[in-house]
């Protein structure tokens, strides 16, 4: 999938649901719950239970959605993620080798970076956009806003501290999209199997962003 297609999906949907789970069956339910709430960009973290299997299954089950993965640390994991059908790839850090491998496979890669130097480095190596993580630790929306003047040409996806309340603020100061995990999937709701509650969280988020 080309970067143009990926960027158009980000501009359309504006939010990525990040699923990290210790049980594959819960991961499936979490994905179905947010999709019922109108979300279509789903990231399954690679350290989830049976992540490759879950990604393959969700791709078959949810053909209208884009299913990717994250928390990839090295080229071997990246190769395995590509093999199981992940449609986009997030990393917590910037690794030139990983970026170049994803680019050669024509799969969007979104490396994690924090400082202007790291963001620029990731972009120059061929990142489709850059994950600014952990954004809340360095000032949240004000940090994203302050990056716009010098780095406004680089699409940024803040994660780590994005909430239902502040998600729209990140878009208003220049982020192309946001990633949410714990905010969408409160641990109590997941443990109790309160999928309608999680669907409502997703619905609320999408209404606020659109």
């Amino acid at each position: 999938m080309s970067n143009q297609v990926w960027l158009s999906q980000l501009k359309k949907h504006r939010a990525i649901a990040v699923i990290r789970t210790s049980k594959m069956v819960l991961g499936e339910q979490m994905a179905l719950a947010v999709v019922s709430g109108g979300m279509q960009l789903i990231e399954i973290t690679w350290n989830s239970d049976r992540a490759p299997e879950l990604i393959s299954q969700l791709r078959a089950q949810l053909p209208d959605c884009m299913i990717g993965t994250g928390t990839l640390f090295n080229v071997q994991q990246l190769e395995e993620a590509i093999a199981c059908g992940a449609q986009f790839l997030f990393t917590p850090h910037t690794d030139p080798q990983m970026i170049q491998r994803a680019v050669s496979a024509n799969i969007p890669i979104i490396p994690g970076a924090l400082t202007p130097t790291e963001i620029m480095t990731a972009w120059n190596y061929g990142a489709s956009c850059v994950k600014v993580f952990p954004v809340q630790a360095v000032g949240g929306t004000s940090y994203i806003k302050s990056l716009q003047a010098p780095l406004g040409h680089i699409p940024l996806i803040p994660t780590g501290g994005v909430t239902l309340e502040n998600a729209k603020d990140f878009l208003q100061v220049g982020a192309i999209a946001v990633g949410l995990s714990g905010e969408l999937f409160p641990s109590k709701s997941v443990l109790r199997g309160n999928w309608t509650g999680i669907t409502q969280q997703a619905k609320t988020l999408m209404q606020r962003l659109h």
Side-chain angles (χ1 to χ4, degrees):
M1 177 184 56
S2 72
N3 279 340
Q4 281 75 18
V5 173
W6 168 238
L7 292 172
S8 71
Q9 288 295 308
L10 286 175
K11 285 173 187 166
K12 181 180 174 186
H13 298 293
R14 296 296 206 165
I16 300 157
V18 181
I19 294 174
R20 180 176 279 106
T21 179
S22 55
K23 289 183 181 171
M24 182 181 157
V25 66
L26 290 181
E28 181 191 356
Q29 293 295 336
M30 290 160 81
L32 295 175
V34 291
V35 170
S36 295
M39 299 188 76
Q40 288 195 295
L41 303 178
I42 312 286
E43 174 194 328
I44 304 296
T45 65
W46 198 249
N47 53 4
S48 290
D49 176 44
R50 290 151 67 193
E53 202 179 322
L54 181 55
I55 292 163
S56 299
Q57 182 180 317
L58 291 175
R59 279 211 58 188
Q61 222 170 335
L62 302 168
D64 295 334
C65 296
M66 288 187 67
I67 313 295
T69 191
T71 321
L72 296 167
F73 289 112
N74 53 54
V75 173
Q76 186 188 337
Q77 289 180 340
L78 184 133
E79 295 283 7
E80 290 167 7
I82 292 171
C84 76
Q87 291 170 285
F88 56 86
L89 310 162
F90 275 82
T91 67
H93 62 311
T94 295
D95 179 325
Q97 254 190 308
M98 291 176 75
I99 296 171
Q100 286 158 358
R101 175 65 190 98
V103 169
S104 71
N106 202 28
I107 296 177
I109 184 164
I110 309 91
L114 198 54
T115 67
T117 299
E118 291 168 350
I119 293 167
M120 200 70 220
T121 300
W123 181 249
N124 286 339
Y125 275 116
S128 66
C129 22
V130 180
K131 175 171 90 161
V132 183
F133 167 82
V135 74
Q136 212 51 41
V138 290
T141 52
S142 61
Y143 185 63
I144 297 296
K145 187 178 182 179
S146 65
L147 292 173
Q148 290 308 302
L151 303 177
H153 61 294
I154 302 176
L156 302 177
I157 302 179
T159 70
V162 180
T163 66
L164 268 65
E165 286 69 34
N166 69 18
K168 188 170 186 178
D169 299 336
F170 280 105
L171 301 184
Q172 287 174 334
V173 296
I176 190 171
V178 290
L180 294 90
S181 181
E183 270 289 307
L184 275 178
F185 305 106
S187 50
K188 280 182 183 174
S189 297
V190 175
L191 287 170
R192 291 175 184 157
N194 180 12
W195 309 120
T196 51
I198 290 172
T199 294
Q200 189 53 55
Q201 293 278 94
K203 207 172 274 184
T204 300
L205 174 67
M206 297 315 276
Q207 284 166 351
R208 287 179 183 173
L209 297 186
H210 298 279

